[in-house]
Amino acid sequence: MGRTRPTRTTIRTAVRATAGGLVVVTAAIIGTLVHRSASSSPPSFGEARRGEHVAPTSDADGAVTEADGALPDAVTVFDEEHPGVGNLDRDLLGALREAATDAADDGIELSVNSGWRSPEYQDQLLREAVSEHGSEAEAARWVATADTSAHVSGNAVDIGPFDATAWLSEHGAAYGLCQIYGNEPWHYELRPEAIERGCPAPYADPTQDPRMQQ
Ligand SMILES: [Zn+2]
């Protein structure tokens, strides 16, 4: 018996130390995961993942169709039979077509992953983003409301694939095509003054955009 107590204490201490170690390790892992998801996790909805196409999903309220602006893969800025392209602002579309023509000379094809969207489509994307990101505040960093979205007004496009957005980031200003948000390298809008002055500095994310404060 004389030896049992110290042994038990030793074991208990060892277990406690191990548990403490586990907590530290677990916290470190969680910290890494949280950091990784906060810093680089791309949005799954509304904005294309690094310029890749994200197929729209439907929910109980009814499927989003091409009439709402949903687009199949590999749609170009010339394919205006799709409402997602055809309902874009004409000046934006014109600038995109000029850019796409010149990009093609460099062997780059611009695809429209998302363009004009109906308010219903935008609402659905926002609901999905809230579900995905866990809160309206976090979702607002990625998806605007139907009232504020430049997609709904036909004044924004999400371009892909990656080499096309890379081409636009280098050459877009010459066509008045500017990246608006630092966290969305695929999202372009028309800023005609950029042709002479260059694009304005992008907002960090949509929550910094005064247009979103409505
Ligand atoms: Zn966009």
Side-chain angles (χ1 to χ4, degrees), residues 70-95:
L71 293 171
D73 288 331
V75 167
T76 76
V77 294
F78 300 98
D79 299 333
E80 66 181 293
E81 67 272 22
H82 303 285
V85 174
N87 288 345
L88 286 171
D89 172 77
R90 302 316 290 180
D91 292 337
L92 172 61
L93 199 51

Side-chain angles (χ1 to χ4, degrees), residues 100-119:
T101 300
D102 293 343
D105 290 341
D106 291 341
I108 305 291
E109 180 162 300
L110 269 61
S111 290
V112 181
N113 289 334
S114 193
W116 169 83
R117 301 170 189 153
S118 71

Side-chain angles (χ1 to χ4, degrees), residues 19-210:
L22 276 178
V23 169
V24 170
V25 169
T26 308
I29 291 171
I30 292 171
T32 305
L33 291 175
V34 167
H35 176 72
R36 191 181 297 163
S37 76
S39 63
S40 67
S41 170
S44 295
F45 302 103
E47 301 300 343
R49 197 186 293 262
R50 294 187 186 281
E52 290 167 24
H53 186 69
V54 176
T57 56
S58 59
D59 62 9
D61 295 341
V64 161
T65 69
E66 283 217 19
D68 292 298
L71 293 171
D73 288 331
V75 167
T76 76
V77 294
F78 300 98
D79 299 333
E80 66 181 293
E81 67 272 22
H82 303 285
V85 174
N87 288 345
L88 286 171
D89 172 77
R90 302 316 290 180
D91 292 337
L92 172 61
L93 199 51
L96 284 166
R97 287 173 173 178
E98 279 185 48
T101 300
D102 293 343
D105 290 341
D106 291 341
I108 305 291
E109 180 162 300
L110 269 61
S111 290
V112 181
N113 289 334
S114 193
W116 169 83
R117 301 170 189 153
S118 71
E120 294 73 22
Y121 186 7
Q122 188 70 29
D123 282 341
Q124 179 176 318
L125 292 172
L126 185 55
R127 283 197 302 275
E128 290 172 344
V130 170
S131 164
E132 162 95 346
H133 296 288
S135 72
E136 290 185 17
E138 183 60 18
R141 295 184 58 233
W142 301 101
V143 181
T145 66
D147 289 339
T148 58
S149 172
H151 285 278
V152 173
S153 64
N155 289 294
V157 282
D158 296 340
I159 294 295
F162 177 78
D163 61 349
T165 57
W167 190 94
L168 271 183
S169 77
E170 190 177 345
H171 302 288
Y175 307 88
L177 295 170
C178 295
Q179 179 186 340
I180 305 301
Y181 306 117
N183 68 333
E184 298 179 11
W186 49 81
H187 178 106
Y188 274 80
E189 299 182 26
L190 188 66
R191 296 289 182 272
E193 65 276 13
I195 296 171
E196 305 223 325
R197 284 184 240 155
C199 288
Y203 300 109
D205 64 53
T207 63
Q208 307 295 309
D209 185 344

